[in-house]
Amino acid sequence: MKLPVRLAAILGLVTIWGPTVAWFSGTAHAQAPDHGSHAAPTALFTQESAVGIAHAMTLGATVFLAGLVAFATLVWLPASRGEDADQEKAVGLLCRWMWVLVGVIVVAGLIELPLYAVRASGDTLSLGLLGEALFDTRVGQLWIERLAFGILTAAAATYAARPQRPAYRWVAALVASALLLTTLTRQSHAAAEGGFLPLAADWLHLTAASLWMGGLLGFPILLVGPLR
C-alpha cells in the first residue's frame, strides 16, 4: 500500500511543478530582450524576466491558496467525517501550507514591486520611489489588497480548523478566498476591457482553476503527510 501512495504523491507533485517550471522558463525566454545572435550569456536573465517570474509566483501562490481552502472545505472535511484525529492532523497541515503560500505572496511582492518601480520610472531605487509604487500605483494597491485577503484567508481557515469548531466557520475562509481571487481579476485583461461580464468570466475562470489546482496540491500534501 505504501508504494502506490508514494507513487501517487510523486505524480501529483510532478503534475503541479512540472508545468509551473516550464511556464517560468517560457516567461523568462519570451520577455528577454533580443540582443542578436552575439548576445552575452549574462544578458539571458534580465530585469523583465525577473518581474515576470515574480508575478507568476504571485499568481500561482494566490490560486493555490484559494484552492487549498476549497479543497479542505468541500473535499477533505466531508470525506473524513468520523475520523477526528486524522481530520485535525490533515487540516492543520493544509493550514500550514496556506501560510507558506502567504509567505510566497510576500516574497514575490518584495521582488516584483521594486523592479516594477525601477522599470516604470527609469530612476534608481529609493524608499520614496518604492512608496510611490506601493501606494500610488494600481499594481501596488492590488498587492496590498492581495496580501490582506491572503492573510485573512489563512487566518480564517486556521481559526476554523481548531478542534470543536463547527464546519460552517469555513464559509468565512471561502468568502475571503473568493475576494482574494478578485485581486487577480482586477489586474487582468478583463479589467482593461471594462464591464461586468468580462470581469465575471475571468473570476469564474480563476475560481475553476483554483478548485482544480487546490486538489492537485492538497492530495499530494496529504499523501506524504497524514495519509502516509
Side-chain angles (χ1 to χ4, degrees), residues 145-194:
E145 291 185 24
R146 187 174 302 123
L147 180 59
F149 284 130
I151 293 174
L152 181 62
T153 298
T158 302
Y159 179 74
R162 293 179 180 178
Q164 307 303 321
R165 297 290 184 187
Y168 70 82
R169 293 186 182 274
W170 281 90
V171 175
L174 283 174
V175 171
S177 65
L179 294 173
L180 174 64
L181 292 177
T182 63
T183 64
L184 298 182
T185 294
R186 289 160 57 199
Q187 200 175 354
S188 66
H189 293 294
E193 291 290 333

Side-chain angles (χ1 to χ4, degrees), residues 28 32 40-46 49:
T42 56
L44 293 178
F45 189 81
T46 64
S49 65

